[in-house]
């Protein structure tokens, strides 16, 4: 099994920045990670999660409209990790953020435990 561990959450002020990191471990090797699609989600009301950012195996990225121009996603295949750089934070970015891993050729999602981000004004 693949395990994901997020880190980097915490408290930031409006307009500030935070970087979230997610490390994959367990039953995963370099090629499998390089071929995986990685994403970040955040919790919204009713226990649902909304997609925030995604990075494809080739490095193509995409972002939700609410964070476009403020957030950046990157992957380090040598370290089996993915990061989310969050800039110009707003109070509405206050959420629990989750790392997501989907192996090539599957629809099975692996989730991290989540990390809290709180933006104060």
């Amino acid at each position: 099994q693949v395990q994901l561990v997020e880190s980097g959450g915490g408290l930031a002020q409006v307009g500030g920045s935070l970087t979230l990191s997610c490390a994959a471990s367990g039953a995963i090797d370099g090629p499998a990670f390089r071929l995986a699609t990685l994403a970040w989600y955040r919790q919204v009301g009713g226990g649902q999660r909304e997609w925030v950012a995604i990075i494809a195996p080739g490095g193509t990225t995409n972002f939700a409209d609410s964070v476009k121009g403020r957030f950046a996603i990157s992957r380090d295949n040598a370290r089996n990790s993915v990061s989310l750089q969050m800039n110009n934070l707003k109070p509405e970015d206050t959420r629990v953020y989750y790392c997501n891993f989907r192996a090539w050729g599957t629809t099975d999602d692996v989730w991290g435990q989540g990390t809290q981000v709180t933006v104060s004004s």
Side-chain angles (χ1 to χ4, degrees):
Q1 276 190 327
V2 177
Q3 291 88 40
L4 302 176
V5 177
E6 298 107 335
S7 60
L11 180 65
Q13 292 190 333
V14 171
S17 299
L18 282 174
T19 301
L20 305 183
S21 296
C22 174
S25 62
I28 186 167
D29 57 17
F33 188 87
R34 285 196 296 272
L35 292 175
T37 297
L38 307 169
W40 288 92
Y41 286 72
R42 61 189 183 186
Q43 190 112 17
V44 295
Q48 300 296 312
R49 295 175 184 175
E50 68 174 4
W51 166 73
V52 174
I54 192 168
I55 184 164
T60 301
T61 61
N62 202 3
F63 300 90
D65 288 343
S66 59
V67 306
K68 199 169 292 184
R70 300 189 296 121
F71 289 13
I73 186 172
S74 60
R75 62 193 298 160
D76 185 340
N77 292 330
R79 298 184 177 183
N80 288 356
S81 67
V82 59
S83 297
L84 184 69
Q85 174 67 43
M86 305 184 294
N87 300 319
N88 190 19
L89 285 163
K90 302 178 179 181
E92 53 264 41
D93 295 321
T94 295
R95 295 278 190 271
V96 177
Y97 286 72
Y98 295 90
C99 176
N100 174 271
F101 170 100
R102 181 175 290 188
W104 177 266
T106 76
T107 57
D108 298 328
D109 289 316
V110 179
W111 297 94
Q113 82 284 358
T115 186
Q116 176 71 49
V117 170
T118 302
V119 183
S120 65
S121 56

